[in-house]
Amino acid sequence: MLDNYGRKIEYLRISLTDKCNLRCIYCMPEKGVEKKCHNEVMKCEEITKIVKAAANLGIKKIRYTGGEPLIFKGIEELVYNTAQTPGIRDIGITTNGILLNDLIHDLKQAGLKRLNISLDTLKEDKFKKITRYGDLNKVLRGIEKCLSLGLTPLKINTVLLKGINDDEIGDFINLTKELPIHVRFIELMPIGEGVKFYKKSAMTSDEVLERFPNLIPIKSLETSTAELYRLKDAKGKVGFISPLSCKFCRDCNKIRITSEGMIKPCLHSQEEVDIKEYIDNEVLLISKLKKAILSKPQEHKIEVNKRSETKRMMFQIGG
Ligand code: SAM
Ligand code: SF4
């Protein structure tokens, strides 16, 4: 359906859990994360009902995120149910990749179409520092398995962190020479733990483009948030996602839902619509979803060097 500014809202991003098997320094605090009760978070059947209601309103694309979506019990069943929902054409997952090697075969069988893997470094010791305790080899094995199963183009999302991983930008870009992957650089956002790193480590997409003049601009999809480039004769592509330095609100076609069933019409706004208690009533559920779509603001208010209005942290929203 169209929102109040004529944008066709076709994309729903659902956070399955606040829990994570990593603790990336710019996303999640090491300690003190409040644990949610079992009945506070949505279950597989509830999410399936939301997907069905959303599809009724014209949502075509679903992305599961978190926290870490692959630790959600029943993720394979959920992907299968989603793939069976009339109207849903595209299902994606954004993951840190730690559990991919074990799960990707079944997820693909269940109907998974796209995978975004978050990876900020190709160095083992730095991976441990950024994620606080992750094992890079597990992610690399997962990536290899996805490629061997033909899940392409695989997207690798890398948050730009000046002084932390900017020395590896060239290595990430070079991965696209031989592999059918899209490496997408994402500007750090001043949300949650990201605020602590923002002043020192934020880096704009333009800074990278200046350093790599060999990147050739190519046409991006209208609904894509990434500006696309490629190296000459490369198999893959390089994308830049610049939520702050180059807002893409005008083409924003998505809404988000947190794992407790709160719709967020805009990532950076405080506004949320609670749908948890309406999940079993399809008519009311659809009307709440409509309300959320119609309350989508024209654009977010944050600017470079200002913190996001949302009080939620990134692991509670899902990106
Ligand atoms: N755990 C999954 C993962 O890491 O892919 C999904 C959830 S995570 C919150 C989704 C994405 O948000 C990741 O690519 C992560 O790097 C990104 N992210 C987290 N905090 C961020 C911040 N402050 N600014 C920009 N991106 C951020
Ligand atoms: Fe977990 Fe993803 Fe946040 Fe890292 S970015 S702490 S993997 S939710």
Side-chain angles (χ1 to χ4, degrees), residues 26-27 65-68 94-96 118 159 187-189 194 314 318:
Y26 57 84
C27 175
T65 175
E68 176 47 41
T94 300
T95 171
N96 59 32
S118 306
V159 176
E187 289 178 352
L188 179 72
M189 287 184 273
M314 274 304 256

Side-chain angles (χ1 to χ4, degrees), residues 72-130:
F72 181 82
K73 283 209 172 64
I75 179 79
E76 299 95 333
E77 184 188 345
L78 180 60
V79 168
Y80 178 80
N81 293 348
T82 309
Q84 299 306 310
T85 305
I88 301 299
R89 294 192 197 144
D90 195 354
I91 309 162
I93 290 183
T94 300
T95 171
N96 59 32
I98 293 285
L99 298 173
L100 259 185
N101 197 40
D102 299 335
L103 294 176
I104 192 59
H105 181 268
D106 290 352
L107 287 170
K108 190 176 177 234
Q109 295 277 92
L112 184 70
K113 296 267 191 309
R114 289 163 190 270
L115 207 58
N116 290 5
I117 302 170
S118 306
L119 181 61
D120 300 326
T121 174
L122 300 167
K123 296 182 179 164
E124 223 173 312
D125 52 338
K126 205 192 281 182
F127 188 80
K128 275 222 154 62
K129 279 191 187 131
I130 295 178

Side-chain angles (χ1 to χ4, degrees), residues 279-294:
I279 291 176
D280 292 324
N281 182 329
E282 196 176 11
V283 176
L284 284 179
L285 182 57
I286 289 178
S287 115
K288 285 281 165 186
L289 282 166
K290 260 189 197 160
K291 183 179 166 204
I293 290 174
L294 292 176

Side-chain angles (χ1 to χ4, degrees), residues 14-15 38 44-45 56 91 129 131 138 151 155 182 187-188 213 217 223 230 232-233 241 250-251 256 258 264 307 315:
I14 303 178
S15 172
H38 187 59
C44 180
E45 324 77 86
N56 262 310
I91 309 162
K129 279 191 187 131
T131 64
K138 288 189 178 165
L151 245 154
K155 291 183 183 163
H182 292 188
E187 289 178 352
L188 179 72
T223 49
R230 75 175 340 145
K232 190 166 176 285
D233 299 328
I241 302 182
R250 205 186 45 188
D251 300 318
R256 297 171 168 82
T258 70
K264 282 188 74 65
R307 85 176 274 167
F315 67 93

Side-chain angles (χ1 to χ4, degrees), residues 23 28 38 52 55 67 75 80 83 92 97 114 116 118 125 154 163 168 194-195 197 203 249 261 268 272 302 304 308:
R23 289 284 182 282
M28 201 166 177
H38 187 59
K52 189 169 165 232
I75 179 79
Y80 178 80
R114 289 163 190 270
N116 290 5
S118 306
D125 52 338
L154 199 61
E168 294 185 66
V195 174
F197 289 85
M203 202 176 164
C249 303
H268 295 294
E272 295 185 350
I302 53 162
V304 177
S308 174

Side-chain angles (χ1 to χ4, degrees), residues 121-290:
T121 174
L122 300 167
K123 296 182 179 164
E124 223 173 312
D125 52 338
K126 205 192 281 182
F127 188 80
K128 275 222 154 62
K129 279 191 187 131
I130 295 178
T131 64
R132 290 200 175 98
Y133 38 68
D135 178 354
L136 174 65
N137 287 315
K138 288 189 178 165
V139 183
L140 298 181
R141 274 203 299 275
I143 292 175
E144 268 174 37
K145 181 113 165 232
C146 293
L147 292 173
S148 73
L149 290 173
L151 245 154
T152 55
L154 199 61
K155 291 183 183 163
I156 308 277
N157 289 345
T158 304
V159 176
L160 292 166
L161 299 161
K162 199 179 276 174
I164 299 177
N165 67 0
D166 55 333
D167 56 328
E168 294 185 66
I169 295 172
D171 299 337
F172 274 104
I173 292 175
N174 284 337
L175 288 178
T176 66
K177 281 185 184 167
E178 296 300 333
L179 298 173
I181 56 174
H182 292 188
V183 170
R184 304 174 339 147
F185 295 107
I186 304 179
E187 289 178 352
L188 179 72
M189 287 184 273
I191 292 187
E193 294 293 283
V195 174
K196 296 182 188 162
F197 289 85
Y198 192 74
K199 235 187 179 149
K200 231 171 122 188
S201 299
M203 202 176 164
T204 65
S205 304
D206 282 348
E207 287 177 70
V208 179
L209 283 166
E210 270 166 34
R211 271 171 53 184
F212 296 91
N214 52 341
L215 288 172
I216 307 158
I218 52 175
K219 202 170 158 33
S220 312
L221 270 180
E222 228 170 77
T223 49
S224 167
T225 44
E227 294 287 333
L228 292 182
Y229 292 77
R230 75 175 340 145
L231 289 174
K232 190 166 176 285
D233 299 328
K235 291 204 174 119
K237 294 177 186 166
V238 177
F240 290 89
I241 302 182
S242 322
L244 300 192
S245 72
C246 177
K247 275 200 222 184
F248 35 72
C249 303
R250 205 186 45 188
D251 300 318
C252 180
N253 66 344
K254 64 172 98 65
I255 53 170
R256 297 171 168 82
I257 302 188
T258 70
S259 57
E260 314 119 283
M262 303 295 284
I263 306 185
K264 282 188 74 65
C266 169
L267 170 65
H268 295 294
S269 144
Q270 281 253 62
E271 159 124 34
E272 295 185 350
V273 178
D274 190 347
I275 54 163
K276 185 104 201 297
E277 58 184 293
Y278 307 104
I279 291 176
D280 292 324
N281 182 329
E282 196 176 11
V283 176
L284 284 179
L285 182 57
I286 289 178
S287 115
K288 285 281 165 186
L289 282 166
K290 260 189 197 160

